[in-house]
Amino acid sequence: MNQIVPASKRPGTELAAAETQDYVTMFIDGQMFGIAVLTVQDVLGPQKITRIPLAPREVAGSLNLRGRIVTAIDVRLRLGLKRPQDGNKGMSVVVEQSGELYSLMVDQVGEVLSLPVAKFERNPPTLDPMWREFSAGIYRLDDKLLVVLDVAKLLDFKQSE
């Protein structure tokens, strides 16, 4: 009698998980960015955001997500890009950092990509210095460059003051 063995119990599969990394892809001004899928709590459409007086300009405000206050960060401004002219309300990727929830506002959320760790590269010297500050590295895909964002650095406003 053949017995079905779950994929996680098959010989040789224990290494497969460590050889790839999953990223949620996001687009800002046509550029593809990614963050580790394990850091993502939620993906949201346009939300009602309340401005926070005296907050840094990259802090768009706060929103209520199922009874929790979430700080909304305009990633476009954080990366030194201009606001969109087309009035696109965009989307948000919710992440948790140090026990707090943050909504990373982007133009569009793409798919989840599972990429080989061996293809991960350090930031090239030609990468925009502002982006390099918030990037953990890159992946050169067939038709695009995926810039992997370091969420901790992106949300560290003390460092950038």
Side-chain angles (χ1 to χ4, degrees):
M1 202 159 125
N2 287 342
Q3 190 175 17
I4 297 174
V5 179
S8 61
K9 301 288 185 195
R10 289 186 202 140
T13 57
E14 51 285 328
L15 292 177
E19 292 174 357
T20 62
Q21 175 70 47
D22 294 338
Y23 295 97
V24 172
T25 59
M26 309 168 296
F27 294 88
I28 304 168
D29 203 27
Q31 174 61 50
M32 182 189 290
F33 294 91
I35 58 174
V37 76
L38 293 177
T39 64
V40 175
Q41 301 282 320
D42 217 334
V43 175
L44 309 172
Q47 299 289 310
K48 181 182 184 305
I49 296 173
T50 305
R51 282 288 300 147
I52 300 172
L54 305 176
R57 72 184 201 98
E58 298 96 335
V59 176
S62 65
L63 58 102
N64 186 324
L65 179 64
R66 295 183 285 279
R68 285 191 67 182
I69 300 299
V70 179
T71 303
I73 307 297
D74 189 330
V75 180
R76 180 182 275 274
L77 293 178
R78 191 78 171 128
L79 295 173
L81 299 168
K82 291 181 173 71
R83 287 198 165 101
Q85 300 300 321
D86 62 8
N88 177 12
K89 296 285 186 202
M91 298 180 76
S92 294
V93 176
V94 179
V95 297
E96 187 171 354
Q97 183 70 25
S98 304
E100 296 291 326
L101 289 179
Y102 293 90
S103 168
L104 303 178
M105 298 169 54
V106 297
D107 295 347
Q108 180 183 349
V109 176
E111 59 190 338
V112 174
L113 295 181
S114 189
L115 300 171
V117 172
K119 299 278 187 188
F120 182 77
E121 299 178 38
R122 296 176 62 138
N123 290 321
T126 55
L127 189 65
D128 183 296
M130 182 80 110
W131 293 12
R132 202 174 320 133
E133 181 181 341
F134 303 120
S135 171
I138 63 161
Y139 280 95
R140 294 178 199 273
L141 306 179
D142 292 337
D143 57 343
K144 287 201 179 302
L145 181 74
L146 172 72
V147 178
V148 177
L149 293 175
D150 182 326
V151 173
K153 288 181 182 174
L154 193 68
L155 298 174
D156 185 3
F157 286 92
K158 293 181 192 97
Q159 180 183 357
S160 61
E161 289 176 353

